[in-house]
Amino acid sequence: MENELRKGEKDSMESTRRLDSTTISLKALIVFFAASILSSVIIDFLPIQQNPWKWDTTKTSAPQYCTEEKTYAIYARSKSEDHLIHVVNVLEKLGYTRVSLEKNWQLLWAHDYPFLKMKERMKRLENYQIVNHFPGCGFLTNKVDLSTSALLFLPRAFRLPSQKDEFLEYTRLNPSALFVEKHNEHRHIVIRSPEEINLNSTTSFVQEYIQNPYLVDGYKFDMGVYVVITSVNPLRIYMYSGDVLFRYCPVKYHPFDASNIDKYIVGDDYLPTWQVPSLIKYYSQFGGSMRSAFDAYVRDQQMDPTGIWVQVEDIIRRTILEKERDIVNILRSYKTRNFFDLMRFDLIVDKNLKVYLMEANMSPNLSSAHFKPNSVLYEQILYNVLNLVGIGTPIKMPDDCRLNAVNEMIATDQSLSTNLNKCASLACHRSCNKQGCDLCLPCLTGSEYDMLYRAHMEHLHRGNMRRLFPPSFIRADTVNINAEIQNMTKLNAWMTRWFFYKCLYDASWCH
């Protein structure tokens, strides 16, 4: 009997040990899975704790073209593609092959806005795919939204009929003002007095007309400046500096006649630079560009054109910064941000050389059908833009996508490091919780590293693309960087400081 009791007691103890062992294993398994999930969530936000020079650049989300064949597709509603001939020419020269929209393209060139009919696919882009528009770019290119923004370099505009009362009050205070009535969607434009405007129209808006335009040989003109946004939050903006598209009205401005729109509206059959009498010698005989020919004419009139271009750059910067938050809000619903945006800012100049913004064009006209000499300009713009965003790189990527050797040939971790003295004095390799460590390489998160890697690659491949934001620093030692970033968003201030320090310690970054 005693032996049986001992045996039962022994069996009970053995059973308890097995139960305890099972419980411990289950707990360990739960802890393991919980730790794995938590690690996957926060790992991107942790600073580097090991050797900072061992970043795996194959994991960057910058566009990487891993297939042997470089491919592109076109999204356009029009059956005719005459307006895209230079896009196709440049891409073919860069070695790209066109495929259908359904295929696995690397570049989507969308002449029309692709985020309506292709919305779901745009949200599932792979890291190597890139599209030539940002979701939300309409905040910049919609005529009504832009014109009615509270920016002083925009001629005053009013939505109708919602701002009818404000419009009437403005005309009462400015009785000599004339207005351009613009259709919300197309280019139909005509000057009207306030009495002639239909205040109850729901398809148009009104904008004050600048009555004292600067004239060249008596012709009014506008300037088309090509602009590229390569990143939003943090924001990076570039302007094509190789030339500016000058378009002159075909009929002289004076005597002024509002019924003759060829006197004040630039249409498809505008007067090109090489047919403006005073500009022929500069453009055709001495090989000047459209911009340099215009600048030479202004100097001939004993005026300095420099201030025009300072204003132009400031207008572009301030306009895009004004709309950045709206674009950021749209981007939140997209998985990746492999987007860039080429647009054209159209501006006019008054007789005092004050510059006004008229509109920003999505998918600007790059067709030389009317003026064949413009084909060179358009292809130069496209080449520089595509090179800037990584499409035009001549380097053939290996088929297996192990890009470390290729990437390190172009840029290494040392290329991103800056302000080393401060990083060392603050011992940022031991702790990143100090103000001033956020640009030190050991403290960068994976996403921050990726942002700086992209910015560095753009700097290397910018060609004739001049960076407007973050601003270029000619002499960083004369800049109060804290004042410069005072009103910027956190990410814009962070990246501006990076460019500032790169310039401060390396003069090659100062332009």
Side-chain angles (χ1 to χ4, degrees):
M1 184 71 167
E2 185 177 344
N3 289 337
E4 289 179 0
L5 287 172
R6 286 177 180 171
K7 183 176 183 302
E9 184 177 311
K10 188 175 182 180
D11 290 341
S12 176
M13 290 174 65
E14 183 66 24
S15 176
T16 301
R17 280 197 298 270
R18 283 198 295 266
L19 181 61
D20 288 344
S21 176
T22 302
T23 303
I24 291 170
S25 299
L26 183 59
K27 287 181 179 178
L29 191 60
I30 292 172
V31 170
F32 172 79
F33 280 119
S36 299
I37 294 170
L38 183 61
S39 297
S40 67
V41 172
I42 67 174
I43 191 168
D44 188 53
F45 299 98
L46 291 176
I48 309 169
Q49 298 299 329
Q50 300 176 349
N51 186 346
W53 317 118
K54 298 300 182 184
W55 273 96
D56 181 2
T57 53
T58 64
K59 294 182 180 179
T60 178
S61 63
Q64 298 169 354
Y65 310 103
C66 297
T67 59
E68 182 174 0
E69 185 180 32
K70 300 191 290 187
T71 57
Y72 75 97
I74 289 178
Y75 175 77
R77 291 196 298 262
S78 173
K79 292 182 179 180
S80 172
E81 294 186 357
D82 292 344
H83 55 294
L84 297 172
I85 186 171
H86 296 301
V87 175
V88 172
N89 285 347
V90 172
L91 286 170
E92 288 182 352
K93 289 174 183 176
L94 293 173
Y96 278 78
T97 301
R98 183 173 178 177
V99 297
S100 67
L101 280 170
E102 294 73 26
K103 297 290 185 178
N104 195 27
W105 39 262
Q106 295 162 3
L107 166 68
L108 176 66
W109 189 271
H111 182 76
D112 296 295
Y113 193 71
F115 302 101
L116 298 177
K117 291 188 176 182
M118 299 181 65
K119 184 175 182 178
E120 292 308 313
R121 187 171 181 186
M122 293 294 99
K123 290 184 177 182
R124 299 193 305 270
L125 292 176
E126 300 291 343
N127 286 341
Y128 61 83
Q129 293 182 301
I130 190 167
V131 181
N132 70 318
H133 287 303
F134 269 97
C137 65
F139 286 107
L140 284 164
T141 58
N142 180 276
K143 295 179 182 179
V144 186
D145 284 344
L146 179 61
S147 296
T148 54
S149 301
L151 296 169
L152 296 179
F153 44 79
L154 287 163
R156 188 66 187 274
F158 302 88
R159 296 174 184 264
L160 295 178
S162 60
Q163 293 183 307
K164 177 171 64 175
D165 293 340
E166 294 174 52
F167 171 68
L168 291 174
E169 177 63 12
Y170 187 82
T171 59
R172 185 183 68 80
L173 297 174
N174 300 274
S176 61
L178 292 176
F179 294 86
V180 178
E181 188 172 25
K182 299 184 176 182
H183 194 279
N184 293 341
E185 301 296 334
H186 55 72
R187 296 177 58 187
H188 182 65
I189 296 173
V190 63
I191 291 179
R192 299 189 188 279
S193 64
E195 296 77 18
E196 298 174 302
I197 292 172
N198 179 6
L199 301 179
N200 297 312
S201 171
T202 58
T203 60
S204 63
F205 67 103
V206 292
Q207 186 171 34
E208 186 170 6
Y209 176 72
I210 305 303
Q211 299 186 52
N212 59 337
Y214 187 86
L215 306 177
V216 174
D217 284 348
Y219 298 101
K220 187 186 173 185
F221 62 91
D222 69 7
M223 308 180 300
V225 179
Y226 291 87
V227 175
V228 181
I229 303 174
T230 60
S231 173
V232 175
N233 195 34
L235 183 65
R236 290 193 301 278
I237 310 168
Y238 296 82
M239 178 185 88
Y240 178 67
S241 62
D243 205 354
V244 171
L245 180 65
F246 275 81
R247 305 180 303 175
Y248 297 85
C249 291
V251 179
K252 289 192 175 184
Y253 191 76
H254 294 298
F256 183 71
D257 179 3
S259 65
N260 187 351
I261 63 172
D262 284 339
K263 285 178 172 285
Y264 61 91
I265 299 297
V266 173
D268 291 334
D269 295 314
Y270 59 84
L271 188 70
T273 290
W274 53 89
Q275 292 180 8
V276 178
S278 292
L279 304 183
I280 293 174
K281 60 183 176 183
Y282 297 120
Y283 185 85
S284 300
Q285 296 175 12
F286 297 107
S289 65
M290 288 185 245
R291 171 177 167 173
S292 62
F294 168 78
D295 285 353
Y297 176 87
V298 174
R299 286 191 290 268
D300 283 344
Q301 314 310 308
Q302 310 305 312
M303 301 180 79
D304 184 4
T306 305
I308 293 175
W309 306 111
V310 173
Q311 291 179 74
V312 166
E313 294 185 8
D314 184 59
I315 286 170
I316 294 168
R317 265 192 302 267
R318 289 168 60 189
T319 301
I320 298 174
L321 281 166
E322 176 77 10
K323 301 295 184 179
E324 184 191 17
R325 182 176 297 179
D326 295 320
I327 299 173
V328 169
N329 288 336
I330 298 295
L331 273 170
R332 287 198 177 104
S333 63
Y334 288 80
K335 181 178 128 181
T336 63
R337 298 189 177 184
N338 288 345
F339 309 106
F340 69 98
D341 221 309
L342 168 63
M343 56 188 67
R344 192 187 70 219
F345 277 62
D346 289 345
L347 309 107
I348 63 170
V349 182
D350 73 12
K351 67 179 182 181
N352 299 313
L353 302 189
K354 180 178 179 180
V355 182
Y356 296 87
L357 174 63
M358 303 312 296
E359 61 183 359
N361 293 281
M362 183 186 81
S363 298
N365 180 18
L366 294 170
S367 169
S368 60
H370 281 76
F371 301 102
K372 295 299 181 185
N374 283 344
S375 61
V376 175
L377 170 65
Y378 296 148
E379 296 199 358
Q380 287 176 335
I381 291 168
L382 286 164
Y383 171 75
N384 278 270
V385 170
L386 295 175
N387 206 41
L388 178 71
V389 300
I391 296 294
T393 174
I395 295 174
K396 177 178 169 60
M397 297 299 186
D399 295 341
D400 61 5
C401 293
R402 291 180 301 207
L403 303 180
N404 271 338
V406 175
N407 285 344
E408 288 179 2
M409 182 176 69
I410 303 172
T412 62
D413 295 318
Q414 289 92 333
S415 305
L416 308 187
S417 65
T418 189
N419 208 11
L420 301 183
N421 296 95
K422 188 168 187 177
C423 293
S425 66
L426 294 174
C428 296
H429 61 297
R430 294 196 183 97
S431 172
C432 294
N433 298 321
K434 299 175 184 177
Q435 186 176 7
C437 284
D438 60 343
L439 284 174
C440 299
L441 202 62
C443 298
L444 297 179
T445 66
S447 59
E448 289 171 342
Y449 182 93
D450 179 55
M451 292 173 193
L452 296 185
Y453 183 85
R454 286 171 176 255
H456 180 76
M457 294 297 282
E458 289 171 7
H459 179 76
L460 291 180
H461 297 97
R462 64 195 185 280
N464 279 331
M465 306 304 299
R466 172 176 168 78
R467 195 182 75 247
L468 300 186
F469 192 88
S472 298
F473 302 101
I474 299 175
R475 284 279 308 276
D477 57 340
T478 66
V479 174
N480 182 340
I481 188 59
N482 291 325
E484 187 78 28
I485 66 175
Q486 186 174 7
N487 298 316
M488 292 184 187
T489 64
K490 183 178 179 180
L491 272 178
N492 284 345
W494 174 77
M495 180 152 282
T496 298
R497 286 171 47 237
W498 182 74
F499 275 108
F500 167 78
Y501 287 121
K502 294 297 283 185
C503 170
L504 186 63
Y505 299 116
D506 183 352
S508 69
W509 283 78
C510 297
H511 54 82

